[in-house]
Every structure is written in C-alpha cells, then in structure tokens.
Amino acid sequence: MPAQKSEFEKAVYEGGFRVLLTKELIAMRIDELGQQITRDYRGLEPIIIGVLNGAFIFMADLIRRIEIDVEVDFIKISSYGDAKMTSGQVVMLKDINAEIAGRHVLLVEDIVDTGLSIEFLRRKFTALNPASLKYVTFLFKPDSVKSDIRIDYVGFEIPSEFVVGYGLDHKQILRNLPAVYIMD
Ligand code: IMP
C-alpha cells in the first residue's frame, strides 16, 4: 500500500493550500521590524517574551534581526485546543522565569485573532510592574479582533481566514511550513 500523503506534502507540493505570504516576503518584513525594534529599544536591554507554541519561529527569526542586547523568555498559553475556533478561555501552561519588574518587556505573539490571548497577557504582565510593555505580532486579523488593545508592531494584517505555517498549526501540525498558507 502506498504511504499516505502528509498534510505538509499536500500543502507544499500539490497546491492543496493557497499561499498567503511567501518566505521571501516574510523575511523582508521581519528585517524591517527588527530595524524598528533596534531603534526603539537602543539602551534599554529589553526582555523579549515569546508566546508558545506559535511564536517560536517568528521569534527566532526576529531576534536575529535585532542589533542590541536582549534577553529572551517564553510563556505558554492555550485558547484553542485543537479546534479552529477559540474556546473562549485562556489557560497558562508555562510561566516565565525572568524577573520583569522595572524591565522593558516586548511580548511576541504569532497571531492576534479575537485578541483574547493578548488581553489575558496584558492583564498578567501589567500586574508585574514592567517599566514598559509593548506587543509585537507576526499576523493580525483586523476583522476578527474584539479587543481595543494597541499592537505596537504588526508583521502583516491578514483576512479572517484560518492560516497555517511559519509556526502556526492546525491540530499541532504544519508549523514547519516555511510560508503562510490559507487552509480552506
Ligand atoms: P486570539 O486569542 O483569538 O487572539 O487567538 C490567538 C491564538 O489563537 C494564536 O496565538 C494562535 O495560536 C491561535 N490562532 C488564531 N488564529 C489562527 C489561525 O488562523 N491559524 C492558527 N492558529 C490561530
């Protein structure tokens, strides 16, 4: 019996999913964000906190475009489970280890959809008294967001469709796709 095709193969080689953002476009935009963050944070030695799992690839590429001293840490939260729709409840699965009172904190998200996760993070981190708290997200869905929180750095605004790749998953797979695809 022939081996069953992986979702990865279907996406990359069979045109099964539509490409929304190519890896070249992603790299160019991350260069710009890195330069902007370098300028804005010079002399501040920020702590850059990645929101797992989705942000790990974006974060890894972004910090290599930032040309000042930075610390990194990670927090893990979940609002989706394995579904395509948010469950409406955010739970923290792993906390940060760094001491952030008086520090400049930059939170790195993969995507802001309804904004529920970022609202949860804002409440949590504001209570820890950082010197400043800003947000960077790789993707932003303006038509889905229900929060009025200001995102300081946005990679790309995208339509309200379910996307995968470059860190974003569906049922925990497809994070390793090098580009961003729309999953119909
Ligand atoms: P929010 O709390 O509704 O803003 O959703 C944030 C989280 O939901 C993100 O960090 C992602 O993990 C997940 N998510 C939202 N939209 C998508 C999508 O289009 N593809 C994959 N994951 C998504």
Side-chain angles (χ1 to χ4, degrees):
M1 205 172 70
Q4 215 187 333
K5 286 251 164 54
S6 68
E7 293 301 311
F8 184 98
E9 287 169 302
K10 285 186 212 162
V12 175
Y13 302 121
E14 299 195 340
F17 302 177
R18 282 179 287 149
V19 178
L20 181 66
L21 305 168
T22 63
K23 56 183 179 186
E24 292 78 15
L25 186 63
I26 294 171
M28 272 170 48
R29 183 67 187 124
I30 291 178
D31 262 356
E32 292 173 353
L33 288 175
Q35 285 169 24
Q36 211 180 334
I37 291 168
T38 300
R39 282 195 302 272
D40 294 352
Y41 281 90
R42 200 172 290 286
L44 299 180
E45 206 165 304
I47 301 191
I48 303 190
I49 299 178
V51 183
L52 296 172
N53 289 336
F56 79 111
I57 293 180
F58 174 54
M59 169 116 162
D61 283 345
L62 180 66
I63 62 166
R64 284 177 289 176
R65 300 291 175 274
I66 298 176
E67 299 182 334
I68 53 170
D69 292 337
V70 299
E71 277 181 45
V72 299
D73 203 346
F74 293 93
I75 184 168
K76 183 166 179 167
I77 60 171
S78 171
S79 64
Y80 266 44
D82 279 343
K84 279 191 185 175
M85 285 285 290
T86 176
S87 65
Q89 275 216 321
V90 182
V91 281
M92 187 170 68
L93 304 174
K94 177 212 168 295
D95 203 350
I96 54 164
N97 299 105
E99 180 60 56
I100 65 163
R103 301 290 306 272
H104 295 277
V105 174
L106 184 58
L107 274 177
V108 182
E109 267 276 25
D110 55 350
I111 187 165
V112 175
D113 181 17
T114 62
L116 200 76
S117 307
I118 206 99
E119 282 289 349
F120 171 89
L121 294 165
R122 182 172 65 103
R123 275 196 302 279
K124 175 183 167 55
F125 283 97
T126 305
L128 298 173
N129 296 315
S132 70
L133 178 59
K134 286 190 180 183
Y135 310 93
V136 46
T137 186
F138 173 50
L139 304 177
F140 182 71
K141 291 182 185 168
D143 300 331
S144 302
V145 74
K146 295 190 183 77
S147 146
D148 58 6
I149 198 164
R150 196 174 80 87
I151 310 294
D152 304 275
Y153 308 93
V154 174
F156 299 92
E157 289 197 356
I158 64 164
S160 293
E161 303 210 54
F162 196 81
V163 293
V164 290
Y166 200 73
L168 292 126
D169 73 304
H170 179 235
K171 297 187 178 170
Q172 300 304 331
I173 60 170
L174 298 171
R175 294 189 198 275
N176 54 327
L177 290 169
V180 172
Y181 294 79
I182 294 177
M183 197 173 172
D184 295 311

